[in-house]
Amino acid sequence: MWAHSANDEGDRHGLGEHSSCSADLARSFASVFGAGELAYAVALMHDAGKARRGWQAGLLRVEGADDRVGFPHKDLGARLLAVAPGDRDACWAAALMVWGHHGGLRTPSELKQMLRKPGEEDDEEAVQRFLEEVPQARAVLDGPIELPETWRKRPGVRELGVRLTYSALVDADFLDTATHFGRRGEPLLGRSAVMTGLRDRFERRRIDYLEERRTKAEQAGRVSSMGNLREELYSASLAAAMGKPGVYRMSAPTGTGKTIAGAGFALHHAAKHGKSRVIVAVPYTSITEQNADVFRRLLDPRPDDPDDAGDDLVVLEHHSNVDLDRVPGNGGQQRWQRLASENWDAPFVVTTTVQLLDSLFARTPSRVRKLHRLANAVLVLDEVQALPKPLLLPILDALRALSEHFGTTVLLTSATQPVFESLSPWHELNVPEIVPDPVRMAKAARRVEFRWWARPTLAQLAENARQQRQALIILNTIDDARRLFRMLNDDSDTTVVHLSTRMHPNHRRAALKTIADKLEHDQPLLVVSTQLIEAGVDVDFPVVYRAMAPVDSLLQAAGRANREGGDTPGEVVIVDLADGGRPGDYGPAIAVSGYYFGPDKAQPDDLGALARYYRHLYKALELDAPPVIDSQKLPRGQLIQHHRHKWDFPAVADGPLVSPGDSLNRDPRRAFRMIDQDDLPVVITAGLDRDKIMRLLRQARDIPQARFAALRKLQRWTVTLPRRLAETDLVQGHLRPVVGDLHEWLGPYDENVGLDETALS
């Protein structure tokens, strides 16, 4: 009996071989978090339905035609596991995983409905045929099927355990199938990195890297006073890394080297405790690219270093804009990068918070496949103040479960550290602080003076900014940023640069390079940006203007002023614009900010006031609201927790049913989605790369086998438009469908501000 059709050499994939190899792989993946036998059982049984005569005949019928077999196979293994001896929850969890190993995890009620329906006529014979082909499955069906005992402590732990075991199943299935079709003798797995070696390499190169930065700054006439604080933070990080696995917090001001210190903590902790990998997640793609470049310099093998001879690449950069075909090195390294981006089989992963957390609460195999790699890892969450507040309950619950039950050490870094212990998932959780005295360090690192400016207009702000030789102006909306940019650019001899998400990634990257060059050579420069520049982007201005925003954003913006701690304090002007806009979700946070911070109140870098602000804001947002009878009236985070506890995976990932019993439509506004706005991806074809972009668009539109690679490459020229904007008559007339919801932009693209719908006529 066969599991898969013939590969290029004409060899079919035996069902017994595929079942056994997948089971062994899944067991090895899940043993890390104590679920090896459960993963072995589900992987061994996942393709039992392929023993049906109808499926075997269908496979031979479509062989070579690239068609679907058209005969069910997922349900038989689920039926067998659901009634196997053992704990009921374990049997049902196993059945859900097998039933969903292609289409995704579903609900126990849907599983129950499936089990009530009759199977295929030859199922009894198919079971016997399967057991003859896979004799070790007899022991699985004799039971007992069990969940690890520690998963019973909290419903969220049990649900997360099912997710990670399912991840081990689908990754094992993918890998063994790819081994067959790739004509390899064994699965393509990343070589286990020796964390002590990576730690030592990082330490050697860190010294050279810092010396190079210091020399470059001196040559440019910029001398930093932050060096001692950075070394102090780094030393504190290494000391904390010797502590036991758990959840840690790093409350350090901007400019004190959190990126390097966080990586140092992670690598030393991984080496001390035998962790498998380090995963660094940051909120914005621009920071991901910046940090990945630094980590590659510090960790990837170098051709000129004899100690690195034969070593594999270490750093995997995984986000929507990365071009996997531009990985340095040979084709084998490129293949590794592609595979590792799917299952994170890499020693050091740099990704976005969106990619990490949306995957953590997803339900489909392609999204969930990487999750088992979180177990026995060190997870660094950078800029944690940017986590969406409506989703904090499920996020914190999952992070605690990963730490307490799956061997994951979690490090939270921020200059504006939230008080997560005030929320129910972290009540009574002890979170050690890496920085011995955060208040003292904040005072020592203070490099700016705050000034509050009430009710100026954008025109007045422009006039004031013109008096500055170098300044950064951060506004709350794309429209405000465009308007101010044009005011400044119309009559200024100074270079004026605009930054916003209406510029495609390549355009933003070029703008950031221009900014860096102007700053390095101390040339006149005004930058008008949206919030995307205020967290983690390494720029240093003497003056920063920040439109009124939640206090954590104000303090993040202040980190772009006098970053190196020069003798003259930087100036941060907080501007409450009379004619400026703001995002709809800013209202409560700005109101609570005004209660604690202002001209006659605390300054944004007052850590005591910042802690009171977070506690007040969480109460104002009712994140931990009292229970209600109607679950649909729960706050979003509590509703997601409610569905997690019921194993309602579709409701968590896609939203609850709008009208249960009447419709299959779901409400995505109540799902776990890191980005709430419903956006439409739009490819920009204007510019020097037009011929290349048009070729990729043709591949995406007309050549199915090249589509995935083309879509991945097109990310570099893609912007997102709010769907409500894209559906207006004016904008819709400039869009041409490509594939799925991807569209080509036929309208104008401004070389300064990007896609500007206000310029359409």
Side-chain angles (χ1 to χ4, degrees), residues 194-213 231 234 257-265 267-268 278 280 289-305 307-308 311-316 347-348 350:
V194 179
M195 281 297 171
T196 53
L198 293 185
R199 174 201 63 195
D200 295 344
R201 180 187 292 174
F202 184 86
E203 286 298 331
R204 289 196 310 271
R205 293 187 183 174
R206 184 185 79 92
I207 296 171
D208 295 338
Y209 173 74
L210 295 179
E211 179 61 24
E212 180 184 323
R213 288 190 63 176
E231 283 303 311
Y234 192 76
K258 290 192 299 298
T259 298
I260 298 294
F265 168 90
L267 289 165
H268 280 260
V278 173
V280 178
E289 295 169 340
Q290 176 180 289
N291 289 0
D293 285 342
V294 172
F295 294 139
R296 274 193 285 264
R297 289 189 60 184
L298 297 175
L299 288 169
D300 271 347
R302 294 176 180 170
D304 59 346
D305 189 337
D307 292 336
D308 299 347
D311 284 2
D312 293 332
L313 292 176
V314 172
V315 178
L316 169 71
F348 200 103
V350 186

Side-chain angles (χ1 to χ4, degrees), residues 538-568:
D538 191 2
V539 293
D540 187 356
F541 286 85
V543 179
V544 172
Y545 297 87
R546 180 58 169 99
M548 185 61 188
V551 66
D552 45 356
S553 290
L554 302 181
L555 193 51
Q556 291 294 331
R560 310 314 119 196
N562 191 24
R563 191 171 179 83
E564 296 299 328
D567 293 336
T568 303

Side-chain angles (χ1 to χ4, degrees), residues 245-380:
V247 180
Y248 288 80
R249 170 183 288 122
M250 182 191 291
S251 303
T254 56
T256 52
K258 290 192 299 298
T259 298
I260 298 294
F265 168 90
L267 289 165
H268 280 260
H269 188 82
K272 167 78 173 177
H273 295 286
K275 300 298 182 185
S276 303
R277 62 187 43 80
V278 173
I279 300 168
V280 178
V282 298
Y284 306 114
T285 301
S286 55
I287 315 175
T288 312
E289 295 169 340
Q290 176 180 289
N291 289 0
D293 285 342
V294 172
F295 294 139
R296 274 193 285 264
R297 289 189 60 184
L298 297 175
L299 288 169
D300 271 347
R302 294 176 180 170
D304 59 346
D305 189 337
D307 292 336
D308 299 347
D311 284 2
D312 293 332
L313 292 176
V314 172
V315 178
L316 169 71
E317 182 183 358
H318 184 218
H319 55 80
S320 60
N321 293 336
V322 69
D323 183 357
L324 300 182
D325 290 327
R326 298 183 68 185
V327 177
N330 59 38
Q333 291 171 330
Q334 292 172 2
R335 285 196 301 274
W336 168 82
Q337 180 93 352
R338 289 193 187 95
L339 175 60
S341 70
E342 297 169 0
N343 70 357
W344 284 2
D345 189 9
F348 200 103
V349 179
V350 186
T351 188
T352 61
T353 316
V354 172
Q355 175 69 238
L356 169 73
L357 294 176
D358 274 348
S359 296
L360 187 58
F361 294 95
R363 70 179 192 91
T364 57
S366 60
R367 298 296 302 277
V368 174
R369 180 180 176 184
K370 63 180 79 73
L371 292 186
H372 67 92
R373 306 291 181 185
L374 293 172
N376 195 42
V378 183
L379 174 60
V380 181

Side-chain angles (χ1 to χ4, degrees), residues 171-186:
D171 192 27
D173 185 20
F174 274 120
L175 285 169
D176 189 63
T177 303
T179 300
H180 165 68
F181 285 108
R183 306 186 310 279
R184 290 187 293 270
E186 57 186 25

Side-chain angles (χ1 to χ4, degrees), residues 233 248-259 261-262 281-283 380-387 389 411-420 433-435 438 441-442 534-536 551-553 555-557 560 604 607 610 613-614 618:
L233 177 61
Y248 288 80
R249 170 183 288 122
M250 182 191 291
S251 303
T254 56
T256 52
K258 290 192 299 298
T259 298
V282 298
V380 181
L381 285 175
D382 197 13
E383 308 291 359
V384 291
Q385 79 287 341
L387 293 175
K389 294 172 181 61
L411 173 62
L412 311 175
T413 76
S414 176
T416 53
Q417 194 72 238
V419 188
F420 289 146
E433 170 59 67
I434 283 179
V435 179
M441 179 171 276
E534 72 182 10
V551 66
D552 45 356
S553 290
L555 193 51
Q556 291 294 331
R560 310 314 119 196
L607 298 188
L610 191 65
Y613 156 81
Y614 278 120
Y618 295 158

Side-chain angles (χ1 to χ4, degrees), residues 388-685:
K389 294 172 181 61
L391 301 177
L392 281 178
L393 263 61
I395 291 172
L396 296 179
D397 185 64
L399 292 177
R400 181 170 186 171
L402 283 170
S403 170
E404 294 180 343
H405 300 278
F406 299 93
T408 309
T409 288
V410 180
L411 173 62
L412 311 175
T413 76
S414 176
T416 53
Q417 194 72 238
V419 188
F420 289 146
E421 295 92 326
S422 64
L423 294 171
S424 56
W426 279 22
H427 285 172
E428 301 176 359
L429 179 65
N430 177 35
V431 183
E433 170 59 67
I434 283 179
V435 179
D437 189 347
V439 173
R440 183 196 63 78
M441 179 171 276
K443 290 179 178 178
R446 191 174 193 189
R447 313 178 299 281
V448 304
E449 293 177 351
F450 293 94
R451 181 162 64 87
W452 304 77
W453 188 7
R455 311 309 291 167
T457 63
L458 274 172
Q460 289 171 320
L461 174 57
E463 184 59 35
N464 193 281
R466 286 190 190 97
Q467 312 309 312
Q468 310 298 334
R469 187 169 182 275
Q470 291 181 335
L472 168 65
I473 307 105
I474 305 176
L475 299 174
N476 286 328
T477 69
I478 290 170
D479 187 54
D480 285 354
R482 282 189 301 229
R483 289 164 58 200
L484 184 64
F485 169 80
R486 286 180 173 135
M487 291 177 191
L488 292 171
N489 201 44
D490 280 349
D491 59 351
S492 176
D493 294 331
T494 299
T495 299
V496 185
V497 178
H498 174 273
L499 279 173
S500 85
T501 53
R502 288 288 197 275
M503 301 158 64
H504 60 68
N506 274 7
H507 190 177
R508 291 201 304 270
R509 195 175 296 118
L512 285 168
K513 185 178 186 306
T514 297
I515 293 169
D517 289 345
K518 294 292 182 183
L519 291 175
E520 182 177 350
H521 296 97
D522 194 27
Q523 295 173 346
L525 175 67
L526 296 177
V527 175
V528 182
S529 178
T530 57
Q531 303 95 309
L532 67 85
I533 200 172
E534 72 182 10
V537 180
D538 191 2
V539 293
D540 187 356
F541 286 85
V543 179
V544 172
Y545 297 87
R546 180 58 169 99
M548 185 61 188
V551 66
D552 45 356
S553 290
L554 302 181
L555 193 51
Q556 291 294 331
R560 310 314 119 196
N562 191 24
R563 191 171 179 83
E564 296 299 328
D567 293 336
T568 303
E571 184 179 6
V572 178
V573 185
I574 299 168
V575 185
D576 187 9
L577 285 167
D579 55 350
R582 62 178 58 164
D585 59 353
Y586 266 23
I590 287 180
V592 178
S593 296
Y595 188 83
Y596 294 99
F597 302 94
D600 301 316
K601 301 173 185 176
Q603 297 301 301
D605 56 358
D606 183 325
L607 298 188
L610 191 65
R612 293 190 292 275
Y613 156 81
Y614 278 120
R615 291 190 184 94
H616 187 157
L617 179 61
Y618 295 158
K619 287 184 179 179
L621 295 175
E622 298 184 323
L623 300 185
D624 263 329
V628 296
I629 296 176
D630 183 358
S631 63
Q632 296 302 315
K633 294 182 179 179
L634 287 169
R636 184 171 165 197
Q638 286 189 336
L639 180 64
I640 290 169
Q641 288 293 84
H642 171 76
H643 291 308
R644 289 184 65 215
H645 297 170
K646 292 171 57 181
W647 291 3
D648 190 341
F649 298 99
V652 172
D654 308 320
L657 292 168
V658 176
S659 300
D662 298 328
S663 169
L664 296 179
N665 293 331
R666 295 184 176 273
D667 183 0
R669 297 169 301 176
R670 307 281 276 165
F672 189 100
R673 297 196 309 175
M674 287 289 288
I675 300 175
D676 272 335
Q677 188 166 285
D678 192 9
D679 287 335
L680 190 77
V682 175
V683 176
I684 308 301
T685 58

